[in-house]
Amino acid sequence: MKQCYNFGSLTDARNVFTGLVQQRLHDLQASLARIDEFIRAAVSRADADGESPTDSLRGLIVSREEVDEYLDQSPLSAPDRLADLPALPVLELQDNTLLAQVVSAFRLNELDASILLLCLAPELDRRYERLYAYLQDDVSERRPTVNLMMNLLGRTVAERFTVWERLATDKPLRQYRLLETESKPQQSGLLGQVLKVDHRIVAFLLGEAHPDDRLKQTVRFINPDTPVTAANLETVYRTLPESPMVYMQGRGGMGEGETAAALCAPYEIPLLQIDLPALNELEGGFELGWRLALREGYLNRAAVLLDGWESCLNEHFLPPLVFWQALLDYPLPVFLRGKDSWEPDDIHRIRRLLRLSFAIPDYPERRTAWEQLISAQGVTPDADVIHELSNKFRFTRSQIARAVQSAADRAASHGEPLNRSNLYGGAQAHASLRLGHLAQRITPRYTWNHLILPPDPMAQLQELAGRIQYAHLVNDEWGFAKNGSGGRGVSALFAGESGTGKTLAAEVIAGDLGLVLYKIDLSAVVSKYIGETEKNLNSIFGEAQSGNAILFFDEADALFGQHRSGLFAATN
């Protein structure tokens, strides 16, 4: 059977994209046209000098006439050949242009914008290279230098050094790495340095939305999965237009990113997540990575979520001063995510630091979320299925939303309505652990009928499964969780010779409960290095808690049969 496809929508999308590119190029053309007349005047003024940068003896001799010209010139002033230039026309940028967005985002003044545009010109049109070589009286100087910017934009000594000041490392053009400086051989000092617009800024002005390639996978934009519903978020939501800082405490995987994105979405503020520990792994190191990452936030007018806050704190639990000040100066909301409670010691800051704590929702909240999200798929939720899912999968609302979406995808793939099997499949897909080489996922293949045991051990196993299945009833509805001091998980010790059915029993229980089973590789967990075994155990139990999985430690004598410093703290 032939299948016909309608490519009209693809063609329309391509036409829209082409139109956007043409509009952006037109905007840049209009901006560059405003400096053309200014450069024309500079060229005309230079013509009066009479010397040509193509002179074969240029740079080999210093003539008496040239010496007299230098002696007659006032110290620190522009050369006579570029003196008395008219002022560069004021750049009237339309608010919807990308250049105007850069000027606004980095709070550039009029002089900054002029410098940026003059440096941008040769990046987009090579004819400016020859024009700048002519103005600098040197065919090898095809790029603008600090000295050229001072000569073109500084009609007086004070104005020349205002240009110098705006090119300092603590001013926006270089602080945010909009401009880079390059030193040429046999030249020293700032005056001879070549100015170049950073390639990410050029790409942005041409409409490239992809983050800086140097950042690799350390930044990403988070889209909101669900709207803000929790009552404890109302205060943060109301104050978001004031661009607060928000400290989000949780062990990770609790929906912190989705919550921050949901808070920003009604205000049409995108959210950029920055992985702070990963910045240390970049080729240029943390400082360069941090500056580039924060610049992406400015370019996209996005709120930022700094993940792994503890990684940037020193032994006194304080961030570097420059780093902290950059966050205080950031004009949009800043979210900090850390595992432990944290308090800044900056008593002079004006910006408020709000706090949010994240934990797994209790059974009633999970049940309500499952009901709402399944109903949103146009399906009447089955009460028993909702009960099972809410009890067995200790998910956050965002995890539940993703599980329901996956279940709907599975149902559509099979051409059937959303049912119990699809919902369990979707939940299990999002219960997977990120344990790498430490564990192996096992797909349960057996049922109770495959397990051959005496009545007493069989009854114990079924009681174990029942304890897990009805944990919410005992802990939440009967209130035993409030009276207990230990964890709410279930631990069991299977003892017996090899081949007596221990692994089989674990598979049967996992299959009966619809949970994911992981077999822990003890050879990868146990390490001869001090602290490594405990670190691996922390990773396993932390992932299992957020992933709702059953862990099976085979041959556990090698691990739990030995006393290790800190081991029990890691496993409690």
Side-chain angles (χ1 to χ4, degrees):
M1 180 180 67
K2 288 186 176 180
Q3 179 70 48
C4 296
Y5 296 92
N6 179 11
F7 289 97
S9 58
L10 181 60
T11 302
D12 292 342
R14 186 181 293 113
N15 290 338
V16 170
F17 175 76
T18 302
L20 287 173
V21 172
Q22 290 177 343
Q23 181 60 47
R24 287 164 183 161
L25 293 176
H26 175 76
D27 294 336
L28 288 173
Q29 280 182 313
S31 298
L32 292 175
R34 299 185 67 84
I35 69 171
D36 276 358
E37 287 303 316
F38 175 74
I39 293 178
R40 185 187 302 276
V43 170
S44 299
R45 185 68 183 82
D47 283 342
D49 183 68
E51 291 192 23
S52 171
T54 60
D55 189 340
S56 60
L57 297 180
R58 181 72 179 169
L60 299 179
I61 64 170
V62 179
S63 66
R64 176 67 190 192
E65 292 79 4
E66 190 175 355
V67 170
D68 291 339
E69 179 184 337
Y70 289 150
L71 291 174
D72 292 339
Q73 182 179 323
S74 300
L76 306 181
S77 62
D80 291 340
R81 64 197 306 271
L82 292 178
D84 302 323
L85 282 176
L88 181 66
V90 176
L91 298 177
E92 297 176 356
L93 302 175
Q94 297 182 5
D95 293 338
N96 61 345
T97 64
L98 293 177
L99 183 57
Q101 186 172 324
V102 169
V103 170
S104 173
F106 297 101
R107 290 166 284 190
L108 305 183
N109 62 22
E110 184 178 331
L111 180 56
D112 295 332
S114 298
I115 295 172
L116 179 63
L117 189 57
L118 286 167
C119 294
L120 177 66
E123 303 289 343
L124 303 176
D125 189 341
R126 297 199 64 181
R127 67 189 177 96
Y128 290 98
E129 291 183 352
R130 299 183 67 83
L131 291 172
Y132 288 165
Y134 188 86
L135 290 175
Q136 295 180 95
D137 204 15
D138 187 342
V139 292
S140 66
E141 293 281 12
R142 292 173 170 266
R143 294 283 174 158
T145 60
V146 173
N147 190 56
L148 178 63
M149 289 297 107
M150 294 174 67
N151 290 341
L152 290 177
L153 300 174
R155 291 175 294 175
T156 65
V157 173
E159 288 180 355
R160 283 172 55 78
F161 280 88
T162 299
V163 176
W164 172 292
E165 179 189 13
R166 298 310 297 177
L167 290 172
T169 55
D170 61 343
K171 294 299 186 289
L173 287 172
R174 294 185 61 195
Q175 178 184 358
Y176 299 110
R177 301 186 70 89
L178 306 183
L179 293 182
E180 297 176 344
T181 58
E182 297 178 357
S183 297
K184 297 189 66 176
Q186 299 178 343
Q187 286 194 3
S188 60
L190 181 62
L191 284 178
Q193 289 186 336
V194 176
L195 297 173
K196 184 179 180 181
V197 181
D198 185 86
H199 67 82
R200 170 63 182 127
I201 302 302
V202 177
F204 178 82
L205 292 173
L206 292 174
E208 175 60 62
H210 190 274
D212 197 310
D213 292 337
R214 288 167 287 186
L215 291 171
K216 302 185 185 299
Q217 304 299 319
T218 60
V219 300
R220 70 182 183 97
F221 287 95
I222 301 179
N223 296 317
D225 287 337
T226 56
V228 175
T229 55
N232 65 322
L233 300 177
E234 184 62 29
T235 300
V236 178
Y237 174 73
R238 289 198 311 268
T239 59
L240 212 65
E242 302 172 14
S243 297
M245 301 179 76
V246 183
Y247 186 72
M248 311 177 86
Q249 182 183 348
R251 67 165 184 267
M254 296 289 101
E256 297 95 327
E258 292 83 354
T259 299
L263 287 166
C264 295
Y267 299 103
E268 298 184 346
I269 302 175
L271 178 68
L272 180 69
Q273 180 180 2
I274 303 174
D275 186 343
L276 292 180
L279 293 180
N280 287 306
E281 307 301 323
L282 295 178
E283 184 178 347
F286 180 86
E287 183 177 356
L288 174 62
W290 161 245
R291 289 182 181 274
L292 298 180
L294 193 64
R295 188 179 69 181
E296 288 296 327
Y298 275 101
L299 286 173
N300 292 278
R301 293 182 283 193
V304 293
L305 168 62
L306 307 185
D307 202 10
W309 179 244
E310 291 90 352
S311 67
C312 70
L313 304 181
N314 60 22
E315 63 273 15
H316 302 295
F317 302 102
L318 298 175
L321 182 59
V322 175
F323 178 81
W324 179 244
Q325 189 60 50
L327 293 179
L328 293 177
D329 292 340
Y330 193 71
L332 290 163
V334 174
F335 297 88
L336 314 175
R337 194 200 69 77
K339 295 180 180 179
D340 304 315
S341 61
W342 179 77
E343 296 292 337
D345 71 342
D346 183 2
I347 62 174
H348 300 293
R349 62 182 170 85
I350 300 175
R351 200 169 185 179
R352 296 298 94 200
L353 181 66
L354 310 182
R355 290 159 180 81
L356 288 175
S357 296
F358 286 80
I360 296 174
D362 57 20
Y363 172 82
E365 291 182 61
R366 298 198 299 271
R367 185 182 182 100
T368 299
W370 280 107
E371 289 174 345
Q372 292 176 344
L373 293 166
I374 292 175
S375 298
Q377 296 292 330
V379 177
T380 301
D382 181 277
D384 292 336
V385 175
I386 295 296
H387 159 71
E388 294 176 19
L389 295 169
S390 304
N391 176 48
K392 296 176 182 177
F393 297 97
R394 301 178 67 236
F395 281 173
T396 64
R397 184 179 178 88
S398 59
Q399 286 177 302
I400 294 173
R402 290 194 289 269
V404 171
Q405 284 290 350
S406 295
D409 292 340
R410 292 167 181 259
S413 299
H414 297 119
E416 60 187 18
L418 195 61
N419 55 31
R420 182 181 186 276
S421 175
N422 295 321
L423 287 168
Y424 262 91
Q428 290 173 348
H430 292 280
S432 299
L433 308 186
R434 295 170 294 181
L435 293 177
H437 67 287
L438 297 177
Q440 173 189 0
R441 178 168 175 167
I442 296 177
T443 302
R445 298 165 294 168
Y446 304 107
T447 65
W448 292 108
N449 294 330
H450 293 93
L451 196 58
I452 309 301
L453 287 173
D456 285 348
M458 180 69 80
Q460 285 182 308
L461 291 176
Q462 291 175 340
E463 288 175 4
L464 178 63
R467 180 174 177 179
I468 299 172
Q469 184 171 359
Y470 297 105
H472 85 92
L473 179 65
V474 175
N475 291 318
D476 297 322
E477 296 188 21
W478 293 357
F480 276 79
K482 299 177 182 178
N483 301 323
S485 58
R488 298 176 63 169
V490 177
S491 301
L493 175 63
F494 292 174
E497 297 295 329
S498 178
T500 54
K502 300 185 294 296
T503 304
L504 175 62
E507 283 193 46
V508 169
I509 292 174
D512 181 59
L513 296 173
L515 296 176
V516 180
L517 175 65
Y518 280 88
K519 184 177 180 179
I520 307 302
D521 183 358
L522 290 184
S523 65
V525 173
V526 179
S527 174
K528 64 181 180 181
Y529 298 106
I530 297 175
E532 279 300 307
T533 300
E534 290 74 21
K535 179 181 177 182
N536 291 335
L537 284 172
N538 272 322
S539 299
I540 290 171
F541 285 106
E543 276 292 315
Q545 190 170 5
S546 61
N548 303 272
I550 294 177
L551 301 180
F552 181 69
F553 290 85
D554 197 12
E555 305 295 340
D557 313 60
L559 180 63
F560 297 110
Q562 302 179 32
H563 178 73
R564 294 177 179 271
S565 175
L567 176 60
F568 299 105
T571 57
N572 281 342

